[in-house]
Amino acid sequence: MEVLKAAGDREAAGHHVVHMEVGQPGAPAPRPVLAAARAALKDGRFRYTDALGIRALRERIAAHYGEAYGTEVAADRIAVTTGSSAGFNLAFLAAFDPGNRIALATPGYPAYRNLLGALGLEVVNIETSADSGYVMTPEMLVAAHERAPLAGVLIASPGNPTGTVMHPDALRTLVQTAERLGIRFISDEIYHGLVYAGIAETALKHARHAIVVNSFSKYYCMTGWRIGWMVLPEDLVRPIERIAQNLYISAPDISQRAAVAAFDATEELEAVKAGYAANRQLLLDKLPAIGFDDFFPVDGAFYVYASVRRFSNDSVDFTRRMLDEAGVAATPGPDFDRERGHAWMRFSFAGTGEDMAEAVARLGRWLG
């Protein structure tokens, strides 16, 4: 967000900036979603809904699991949330007690760590590497649990900032290990649908007691609508409902009505994804020649997590200079990995193809 603000300041001063700092789709919400919202506006009456969401949306989300994964999920286990951010808050509040230890893979999304810390939960960072395929392994989880008992583990596949996708067998064995050890498993699946290499499998295939968090923000291009969902084990449905009633009553009525139509926009959304895939290929082809030849596998999402060691030992300073001198905004690594992030940065390729080509050209001139 600080990089975005600095980029906005440069634009206000008359400079053109290529934005690669924020993980936000460049495309608008799909046409069926906009049409459903317009139809709802004709009614003009928007109210509180049930805390778990309107029945039509919960049923449509449940049907999605059968269509996309061949997995049966009851609508009664679905909770509609104000984006995935509310989902993580609800999961942490309902599933854990202050002082509990929660394992996270690093590098990873910084809001997990920040939210857990704010709630009095202890974050246990588990470093990944090329040897593990840049994912947490059962052996890593067991070792962390043996040092001191873990109450939970949170996994994202595809991941942010890396875009790494866990192989289905790797996910299955990790889920089963967590269940055997009595560790609550939370699966961040908000980048499902945006996979270019491999398969993004839902944790629900392997564990009925997993908590799954998803969102309409990424694949469905609905960031500002603030709408997401959770799939819950039966024992957490009522606690989540009670907490949600107190935190925000319900997700926005109009966003819920519109989101029902998102599942009817596959053709349009796949065209948007094809644009991301073209951007991804452009960066994979061009970045190594510029000097960014060390990066995590770009399996999914819309990020390249690249090393800056060839140019700097301080990615915060490097990204600041890159913005000031080349007009390209990207995110430095310390947010994602406090120990090793100084050597890394994240490029988002969610923008237009023209922007990606311009970014590569600017970086080539700047570093050449």
Side-chain angles (χ1 to χ4, degrees), residues 53-62 256-257 260 263:
I54 62 174
R55 173 56 59 173
L57 181 55
R58 296 171 72 198
E59 290 178 346
R60 187 64 190 87
I61 292 169
Q256 293 191 60
R257 296 195 219 176
V260 177
F263 297 101

Side-chain angles (χ1 to χ4, degrees), residues 226-282:
R226 306 315 302 133
I227 190 78
W229 76 86
M230 309 171 73
V231 184
L232 302 167
E234 286 87 348
D235 66 308
L236 287 185
V237 173
R238 182 58 180 149
I240 290 286
E241 182 178 24
R242 292 198 303 265
I243 297 170
Q245 288 168 339
N246 284 277
L247 280 181
Y248 55 83
I249 302 179
S250 67
D253 188 1
I254 188 170
S255 297
Q256 293 191 60
R257 296 195 219 176
V260 177
F263 297 101
D264 300 324
T266 301
E267 183 176 353
E268 185 177 346
L269 293 170
E270 286 297 302
V272 173
K273 178 183 173 181
Y276 300 151
N279 291 347
R280 168 184 179 268
Q281 194 59 54
L282 174 69

